[in-house]
Amino acid sequence: MDNERLQKIKRVNEVSSCFCLAKWLQVTIDLQNGQTHSCHHPGRHTIPLAELETNPSALHNTNFKKEQRKKMLEGTRPEECDYCWNIEDLGENDVSDRMIKSLDYWAFDKLEKVKDAPWDENIVPTYLEVMFENTCNLGCMYCSAQVSSKLNNELKQFGSYSWEVPHHGMEYIEYPAQEDNPYIKAFWKWLPDIIDELKVLRVTGGEPLLSKNLYLLLDYLDANPNKKLRFAVNSNLSLPSERFKKFALKIRQLLDQEKIEAFELYVSIDTFEEQAEYIRSGLSFEKFSKNMKIVHDILPEVHITIMCTFNVLSIPKFGEFIDLVAEWKRVHKSLMLDISYLNHPRYLSPNIITEDFHNLVRSYVEKIGTTPGFFDYEVDKMRRLYHYILSKDNEIDERRKFAIFIEEYDRRHGRNFSEIFPTMDRFYKECKLIAVRHKP
């Protein structure tokens, strides 16, 4: 690290050893379910309607979140932030997202203001991520019905998964009409109060491009420009190309008319071809690739981040995926691969893998490090993932749950794990043996 970055890290840690500016300045709001969290790692918590009635900013500034801020200021680690504590406990050479976020452009210049403010003050975020609804064309295996309408419909058809895999053990959710949603009403009331302070406004889902609210927001930005705003959208890119092209042209218009400073696209995919399609049910790798070309053609200057939720099934073909990302980088110079390890559900986490796969993961660290076009940030993310995989053992119970989950997942989706993941067949059989021998 250069000296300037080291000095910034020092200033953050001088507040406390667990201080994170994202707890104040970043927020993800699930308006459909009335839930919120700061950054995407901690679990979501419910926004109390009683707090929202008198304070629309309770979409971000809940009493619960303020208590977590107080803990950070006092030097106590909030339990909900275990994603970063897991990384920090590996050693000084592995930088957690706590520091990555705190040093980002939307956060660090607010450090003095945040640390000097009363812990229970209502803070205007600079990074707002909003989910209007769970409408989605994919049913990713590690996702939940609250985020994916396709998964919700799967639960309606097949019922809940076994109690032994509780992440998917939820029931079908019957949602009221959006017109009656108090959280969506509060959002549109709150937005004019914060739009000028926002540095990043990001829309997630579900699949945002299937939501009418995304296009209402585009109209709002057209009528209320913020020339300092970086507008961003998450997408699975598994949409008809004509639909995606219309969206891209609307973004082109906002950029050309200088209604926003920049646009960023965050796309989700976890590995290569049919194995990626298995993990993210409904994904079309072909459509994904075609829509990437549309971005290259219409929005060549925009920053693209590939959000890879690296899970145990990402491992076999990740080398081919790195090669593909390298090809995209040659066309789109600002493309970034952002690798995060899957923490929940634990039975799909990459560190349940057996030791015979460790050298394969290590080869990916070397591959990214020696392939032209990859940045130090990307290499560091792959390296810390490898260290995380090595840090865990005694994953017997999670392997048992993995076997139970995969068998049921194949039944529901008409798939055959061993055919799609032939190099993991031995691992899968070992997990099934564990499931037989270690029944609770």
Side-chain angles (χ1 to χ4, degrees):
M1 297 184 191
D2 58 46
N3 187 61
E4 181 183 0
R5 184 172 177 82
L6 288 171
Q7 289 303 312
K8 287 182 177 181
I9 289 173
K10 181 180 178 182
R11 286 182 61 188
V12 172
N13 282 329
E14 282 175 349
V15 181
S16 90
S17 61
C18 55
F19 177 68
C20 178
L21 280 163
K23 190 67 72 181
W24 280 259
L25 298 174
Q26 185 176 27
V27 60
T28 297
I29 309 169
D30 175 353
L31 295 173
Q32 176 157 294
N33 296 291
Q35 296 178 329
T36 187
H37 57 171
S38 282
C39 105
H40 61 285
H41 295 314
R44 299 175 179 184
H45 63 276
T46 298
I47 304 165
L49 285 173
E51 295 180 27
L52 200 62
E53 286 176 1
T54 57
N55 176 26
S57 86
L59 289 170
H60 171 43
N61 296 293
T62 61
N63 289 337
F64 172 83
K65 194 181 293 185
K66 291 175 182 178
E67 290 290 342
Q68 310 314 303
R69 294 170 183 167
K70 184 173 184 287
K71 289 179 182 178
M72 284 186 166
L73 291 170
E74 294 172 346
T76 301
R77 287 180 167 186
E79 292 183 11
E80 66 169 2
C81 300
D82 65 326
Y83 183 96
C84 283
W85 313 143
N86 287 340
I87 295 299
E88 293 187 13
D89 289 343
L90 293 175
E92 294 182 359
N93 293 327
D94 293 288
V95 178
S96 73
D97 283 11
R98 173 178 78 92
M99 203 57 67
I100 291 172
K101 290 174 180 291
S102 292
L103 269 57
D104 215 331
Y105 71 94
W106 50 266
F108 186 75
D109 63 356
K110 300 286 186 180
L111 187 149
E112 295 299 321
K113 181 178 180 179
V114 165
K115 78 178 184 65
D116 292 338
W119 64 269
D120 58 351
E121 182 172 311
N122 290 325
I123 298 293
V124 174
T126 54
Y127 192 122
L128 167 61
E129 184 175 39
V130 60
M131 169 184 158
F132 289 103
E133 59 191 271
N134 75 338
T135 302
C136 192
N137 52 334
L138 302 191
C140 305
M141 67 191 316
Y142 50 74
C143 195
S144 72
Q146 292 178 320
V147 181
S148 166
S149 58
K150 184 170 181 177
L151 274 179
N152 198 34
N153 291 332
E154 177 191 319
L155 292 174
K156 186 177 184 180
Q157 179 181 358
F158 294 102
S160 297
Y161 276 72
S162 162
W163 65 269
E164 295 185 85
V165 284
H167 183 77
H168 287 78
M170 75 289 287
E171 301 292 335
Y172 168 74
I173 305 168
E174 190 71 48
Y175 286 105
Q178 281 205 335
E179 292 75 14
D180 301 324
N181 187 318
Y183 302 101
I184 291 180
K185 291 177 182 178
F187 171 81
W188 289 111
K189 183 178 180 181
W190 186 44
L191 183 60
D193 296 335
I194 65 172
I195 186 65
D196 291 338
E197 294 294 320
L198 289 178
K199 294 185 178 180
V200 179
L201 174 55
R202 182 171 169 178
V203 186
T204 187
E207 172 50 53
L209 271 69
L210 298 177
S211 171
K212 67 177 183 181
N213 284 288
L214 170 63
Y215 302 97
L216 291 174
L217 189 55
L218 293 176
D219 291 341
Y220 181 89
L221 294 175
D222 196 11
N224 301 274
N226 178 346
K227 294 186 178 182
K228 297 180 180 179
L229 180 71
R230 301 183 75 87
F231 183 61
V233 171
N234 295 0
S235 178
N236 58 48
L237 287 196
S238 202
L239 298 156
S241 293
E242 283 305 309
R243 181 172 193 142
F244 183 75
K245 185 176 181 179
K246 288 180 181 179
F247 165 76
L249 290 170
K250 178 63 177 177
I251 296 297
R252 180 75 272 158
Q253 177 185 333
L254 289 175
L255 290 170
D256 290 345
Q257 295 178 2
E258 299 184 348
K259 300 293 181 73
I260 55 177
E261 179 186 7
F263 174 68
E264 297 176 354
L265 181 64
Y266 292 80
V267 300
S268 304
I269 195 161
D270 306 320
T271 189
F272 192 65
E273 292 188 337
E274 77 280 3
Q275 294 188 358
E277 293 174 343
Y278 181 93
I279 295 168
R280 302 172 66 80
S281 178
L283 169 72
S284 167
F285 203 84
E286 181 182 4
K287 286 181 181 178
F288 186 100
S289 300
K290 285 182 178 179
N291 288 332
M292 283 289 282
K293 186 176 186 309
I294 289 174
V295 181
H296 300 329
D297 293 343
I298 297 176
L299 302 167
E301 79 279 28
V302 307
H303 183 81
I304 303 173
T305 298
I306 298 175
M307 299 184 295
C308 171
T309 304
F310 195 101
N311 58 84
V312 67
L313 302 187
S314 300
I315 294 173
K317 286 199 169 185
F318 204 71
E320 288 116 306
F321 183 60
I322 292 171
D323 290 336
L324 178 61
V325 172
E327 287 183 25
W328 287 333
K329 280 175 169 287
R330 284 192 283 273
V331 176
H332 210 103
K333 303 300 183 184
S334 60
L335 185 144
M336 174 81 73
L337 175 61
D338 191 12
I339 305 170
S340 297
Y341 73 86
L342 179 68
N343 198 21
H344 299 290
R346 286 284 307 118
Y347 50 83
L348 295 177
S349 176
N351 61 15
I352 74 165
I353 201 64
T354 46
E355 289 185 9
D356 49 311
F357 283 91
H358 288 179
N359 284 339
L360 183 59
V361 179
R362 185 176 64 185
S363 73
Y364 300 151
V365 180
E366 296 169 353
K367 190 178 187 70
I368 284 184
T370 57
T371 300
F374 284 94
F375 303 104
D376 290 344
Y377 172 85
E378 296 162 299
V379 179
D380 289 343
K381 280 277 190 128
M382 191 71 232
R383 184 183 295 112
R384 82 175 194 182
L385 169 69
Y386 173 61
H387 291 164
Y388 176 70
I389 290 173
L390 293 183
S391 72
K392 301 291 182 178
D393 56 15
N394 195 25
E395 300 296 325
I396 295 298
D397 194 54
E398 302 304 338
R399 290 171 187 164
R400 179 181 65 84
K401 291 177 182 177
F402 172 82
I404 295 170
F405 175 78
I406 292 297
E407 183 176 11
E408 176 63 12
Y409 186 84
D410 277 358
R411 184 185 74 83
R412 294 181 179 215
H413 294 266
R415 310 302 295 273
N416 186 310
F417 177 86
S418 295
E419 289 182 359
I420 297 172
F421 295 86
T423 61
M424 295 191 80
D425 184 54
R426 178 180 173 183
F427 171 73
Y428 181 37
K429 288 176 179 176
E430 289 177 1
C431 292
K432 288 198 287 186
L433 281 175
I434 292 169
V436 172
R437 294 172 179 171
H438 295 267
K439 292 183 178 179

